PDB file of all heavy atoms in Angstrom:
ATOM      1  N   ASP A  73     -23.330   2.925  29.074  1.00 97.00           N
ATOM      2  CA  ASP A  73     -24.297   2.316  29.992  1.00 97.00           C
ATOM      3  C   ASP A  73     -24.820   1.018  29.402  1.00 97.00           C
ATOM      4  O   ASP A  73     -25.101   0.932  28.203  1.00 97.00           O
ATOM      5  CB  ASP A  73     -25.467   3.276  30.245  1.00 97.00           C
ATOM      6  CG  ASP A  73     -25.044   4.404  31.167  1.00 97.00           C
ATOM      7  OD1 ASP A  73     -24.590   4.094  32.288  1.00 97.00           O
ATOM      8  OD2 ASP A  73     -25.113   5.579  30.746  1.00 97.00           O
ATOM      9  N   LEU A  74     -24.945   0.020  30.280  1.00 98.00           N
ATOM     10  CA  LEU A  74     -25.385  -1.295  29.814  1.00 98.00           C
ATOM     11  C   LEU A  74     -26.621  -1.728  30.596  1.00 98.00           C
ATOM     12  O   LEU A  74     -26.760  -1.404  31.775  1.00 98.00           O
ATOM     13  CB  LEU A  74     -24.269  -2.332  30.053  1.00 98.00           C
ATOM     14  CG  LEU A  74     -22.901  -1.974  29.503  1.00 98.00           C
ATOM     15  CD1 LEU A  74     -21.847  -2.941  30.025  1.00 98.00           C
ATOM     16  CD2 LEU A  74     -22.920  -1.979  27.975  1.00 98.00           C
ATOM     17  N   ASP A  75     -27.508  -2.430  29.914  1.00 97.00           N
ATOM     18  CA  ASP A  75     -28.635  -3.040  30.613  1.00 97.00           C
ATOM     19  C   ASP A  75     -28.647  -4.507  30.205  1.00 97.00           C
ATOM     20  O   ASP A  75     -29.079  -4.871  29.110  1.00 97.00           O
ATOM     21  CB  ASP A  75     -29.938  -2.339  30.191  1.00 97.00           C
ATOM     22  CG  ASP A  75     -31.150  -2.879  30.942  1.00 97.00           C
ATOM     23  OD1 ASP A  75     -31.114  -4.080  31.342  1.00 97.00           O
ATOM     24  OD2 ASP A  75     -32.118  -2.114  31.116  1.00 97.00           O
ATOM     25  N   GLU A  76     -28.121  -5.319  31.140  1.00 96.00           N
ATOM     26  CA  GLU A  76     -27.895  -6.713  30.793  1.00 96.00           C
ATOM     27  C   GLU A  76     -29.202  -7.434  30.484  1.00 96.00           C
ATOM     28  O   GLU A  76     -29.265  -8.228  29.540  1.00 96.00           O
ATOM     29  CB  GLU A  76     -27.148  -7.393  31.938  1.00 96.00           C
ATOM     30  CG  GLU A  76     -26.352  -8.577  31.447  1.00 96.00           C
ATOM     31  CD  GLU A  76     -25.518  -9.240  32.532  1.00 96.00           C
ATOM     32  OE1 GLU A  76     -25.055  -8.535  33.454  1.00 96.00           O
ATOM     33  OE2 GLU A  76     -25.348 -10.460  32.440  1.00 96.00           O
ATOM     34  N   LYS A  77     -30.229  -7.131  31.286  1.00 97.00           N
ATOM     35  CA  LYS A  77     -31.512  -7.833  31.100  1.00 97.00           C
ATOM     36  C   LYS A  77     -32.098  -7.548  29.731  1.00 97.00           C
ATOM     37  O   LYS A  77     -32.522  -8.431  29.007  1.00 97.00           O
ATOM     38  CB  LYS A  77     -32.495  -7.392  32.174  1.00 97.00           C
ATOM     39  CG  LYS A  77     -32.502  -8.315  33.364  1.00 97.00           C
ATOM     40  CD  LYS A  77     -33.865  -8.266  34.060  1.00 97.00           C
ATOM     41  CE  LYS A  77     -33.676  -8.488  35.548  1.00 97.00           C
ATOM     42  NZ  LYS A  77     -33.718  -7.261  36.339  1.00 97.00           N
ATOM     43  N   LYS A  78     -32.118  -6.269  29.391  1.00 97.00           N
ATOM     44  CA  LYS A  78     -32.749  -5.895  28.118  1.00 97.00           C
ATOM     45  C   LYS A  78     -31.777  -5.952  26.938  1.00 97.00           C
ATOM     46  O   LYS A  78     -32.132  -5.588  25.811  1.00 97.00           O
ATOM     47  CB  LYS A  78     -33.340  -4.490  28.229  1.00 97.00           C
ATOM     48  CG  LYS A  78     -34.473  -4.400  29.236  1.00 97.00           C
ATOM     49  CD  LYS A  78     -35.116  -3.025  29.154  1.00 97.00           C
ATOM     50  CE  LYS A  78     -36.205  -2.877  30.195  1.00 97.00           C
ATOM     51  NZ  LYS A  78     -36.326  -1.499  30.699  1.00 97.00           N
ATOM     52  N   GLN A  79     -30.539  -6.328  27.221  1.00 97.00           N
ATOM     53  CA  GLN A  79     -29.496  -6.404  26.185  1.00 97.00           C
ATOM     54  C   GLN A  79     -29.273  -5.062  25.496  1.00 97.00           C
ATOM     55  O   GLN A  79     -29.134  -4.991  24.274  1.00 97.00           O
ATOM     56  CB  GLN A  79     -29.850  -7.468  25.143  1.00 97.00           C
ATOM     57  CG  GLN A  79     -29.791  -8.870  25.699  1.00 97.00           C
ATOM     58  CD  GLN A  79     -30.320  -9.916  24.734  1.00 97.00           C
ATOM     59  OE1 GLN A  79     -30.952 -10.880  25.161  1.00 97.00           O
ATOM     60  NE2 GLN A  79     -30.054  -9.748  23.441  1.00 97.00           N
ATOM     61  N   LEU A  80     -29.274  -4.002  26.299  1.00 98.00           N
ATOM     62  CA  LEU A  80     -29.121  -2.672  25.709  1.00 98.00           C
ATOM     63  C   LEU A  80     -27.710  -2.137  25.886  1.00 98.00           C
ATOM     64  O   LEU A  80     -27.075  -2.348  26.926  1.00 98.00           O
ATOM     65  CB  LEU A  80     -30.098  -1.684  26.347  1.00 98.00           C
ATOM     66  CG  LEU A  80     -31.587  -1.951  26.147  1.00 98.00           C
ATOM     67  CD1 LEU A  80     -32.414  -0.851  26.788  1.00 98.00           C
ATOM     68  CD2 LEU A  80     -31.906  -2.055  24.658  1.00 98.00           C
ATOM     69  N   PHE A  81     -27.256  -1.437  24.888  1.00 98.00           N
ATOM     70  CA  PHE A  81     -25.928  -0.814  24.922  1.00 98.00           C
ATOM     71  C   PHE A  81     -26.082   0.659  24.552  1.00 98.00           C
ATOM     72  O   PHE A  81     -26.726   0.993  23.556  1.00 98.00           O
ATOM     73  CB  PHE A  81     -25.024  -1.503  23.899  1.00 98.00           C
ATOM     74  CG  PHE A  81     -23.588  -1.051  23.957  1.00 98.00           C
ATOM     75  CD1 PHE A  81     -22.620  -1.831  24.578  1.00 98.00           C
ATOM     76  CD2 PHE A  81     -23.199   0.164  23.398  1.00 98.00           C
ATOM     77  CE1 PHE A  81     -21.296  -1.416  24.633  1.00 98.00           C
ATOM     78  CE2 PHE A  81     -21.876   0.590  23.458  1.00 98.00           C
ATOM     79  CZ  PHE A  81     -20.926  -0.205  24.077  1.00 98.00           C
ATOM     80  N   THR A  82     -25.515   1.545  25.365  1.00 98.00           N
ATOM     81  CA  THR A  82     -25.585   2.974  25.068  1.00 98.00           C
ATOM     82  C   THR A  82     -24.216   3.602  25.253  1.00 98.00           C
ATOM     83  O   THR A  82     -23.550   3.350  26.258  1.00 98.00           O
ATOM     84  CB  THR A  82     -26.570   3.690  26.031  1.00 98.00           C
ATOM     85  OG1 THR A  82     -27.804   2.999  26.000  1.00 98.00           O
ATOM     86  CG2 THR A  82     -26.783   5.137  25.618  1.00 98.00           C
ATOM     87  N   ILE A  83     -23.798   4.390  24.295  1.00 98.00           N
ATOM     88  CA  ILE A  83     -22.547   5.134  24.446  1.00 98.00           C
ATOM     89  C   ILE A  83     -22.824   6.604  24.152  1.00 98.00           C
ATOM     90  O   ILE A  83     -23.491   6.942  23.175  1.00 98.00           O
ATOM     91  CB  ILE A  83     -21.413   4.570  23.548  1.00 98.00           C
ATOM     92  CG1 ILE A  83     -20.157   5.453  23.682  1.00 98.00           C
ATOM     93  CG2 ILE A  83     -21.823   4.441  22.096  1.00 98.00           C
ATOM     94  CD1 ILE A  83     -18.917   4.837  23.049  1.00 98.00           C
ATOM     95  N   GLU A  84     -22.325   7.439  25.053  1.00 98.00           N
ATOM     96  CA  GLU A  84     -22.649   8.854  24.935  1.00 98.00           C
ATOM     97  C   GLU A  84     -21.365   9.678  25.034  1.00 98.00           C
ATOM     98  O   GLU A  84     -20.479   9.341  25.812  1.00 98.00           O
ATOM     99  CB  GLU A  84     -23.579   9.205  26.102  1.00 98.00           C
ATOM    100  CG  GLU A  84     -24.060  10.636  26.101  1.00 98.00           C
ATOM    101  CD  GLU A  84     -25.106  10.850  27.213  1.00 98.00           C
ATOM    102  OE1 GLU A  84     -26.090  10.080  27.258  1.00 98.00           O
ATOM    103  OE2 GLU A  84     -24.912  11.756  28.031  1.00 98.00           O
ATOM    104  N   ASP A  85     -21.277  10.722  24.231  1.00 98.00           N
ATOM    105  CA  ASP A  85     -20.132  11.622  24.363  1.00 98.00           C
ATOM    106  C   ASP A  85     -20.610  13.062  24.368  1.00 98.00           C
ATOM    107  O   ASP A  85     -21.689  13.354  23.871  1.00 98.00           O
ATOM    108  CB  ASP A  85     -19.131  11.388  23.223  1.00 98.00           C
ATOM    109  CG  ASP A  85     -19.697  11.750  21.863  1.00 98.00           C
ATOM    110  OD1 ASP A  85     -19.919  12.960  21.598  1.00 98.00           O
ATOM    111  OD2 ASP A  85     -19.924  10.825  21.038  1.00 98.00           O
ATOM    112  N   SER A  86     -19.799  13.935  24.982  1.00 97.00           N
ATOM    113  CA  SER A  86     -20.144  15.359  24.990  1.00 97.00           C
ATOM    114  C   SER A  86     -19.310  16.073  23.925  1.00 97.00           C
ATOM    115  O   SER A  86     -18.801  17.160  24.130  1.00 97.00           O
ATOM    116  CB  SER A  86     -19.880  15.944  26.371  1.00 97.00           C
ATOM    117  OG  SER A  86     -18.599  15.524  26.816  1.00 97.00           O
ATOM    118  N   GLY A  87     -19.145  15.386  22.806  1.00 96.00           N
ATOM    119  CA  GLY A  87     -18.303  15.909  21.726  1.00 96.00           C
ATOM    120  C   GLY A  87     -19.023  16.901  20.832  1.00 96.00           C
ATOM    121  O   GLY A  87     -20.018  17.502  21.224  1.00 96.00           O
ATOM    122  N   ILE A  88     -18.543  16.989  19.617  1.00 95.00           N
ATOM    123  CA  ILE A  88     -19.011  18.053  18.724  1.00 95.00           C
ATOM    124  C   ILE A  88     -20.416  17.795  18.164  1.00 95.00           C
ATOM    125  O   ILE A  88     -21.120  18.716  17.758  1.00 95.00           O
ATOM    126  CB  ILE A  88     -18.002  18.264  17.569  1.00 95.00           C
ATOM    127  CG1 ILE A  88     -18.295  19.588  16.850  1.00 95.00           C
ATOM    128  CG2 ILE A  88     -18.008  17.098  16.586  1.00 95.00           C
ATOM    129  CD1 ILE A  88     -17.171  20.096  16.008  1.00 95.00           C
ATOM    130  N   GLY A  89     -20.864  16.523  18.187  1.00 96.00           N
ATOM    131  CA  GLY A  89     -22.197  16.223  17.657  1.00 96.00           C
ATOM    132  C   GLY A  89     -22.248  16.338  16.145  1.00 96.00           C
ATOM    133  O   GLY A  89     -21.230  16.577  15.492  1.00 96.00           O
TER     134      GLY A  89
END
Side-chain angles (χ1 to χ4, degrees):
D73 285 303
L74 307 169
D75 183 332
E76 206 176 328
K77 266 207 212 101
K78 295 187 183 147
Q79 292 172 217
L80 296 182
F81 187 102
T82 308
I83 176 169
E84 182 174 307
D85 65 69
S86 47
I88 194 163

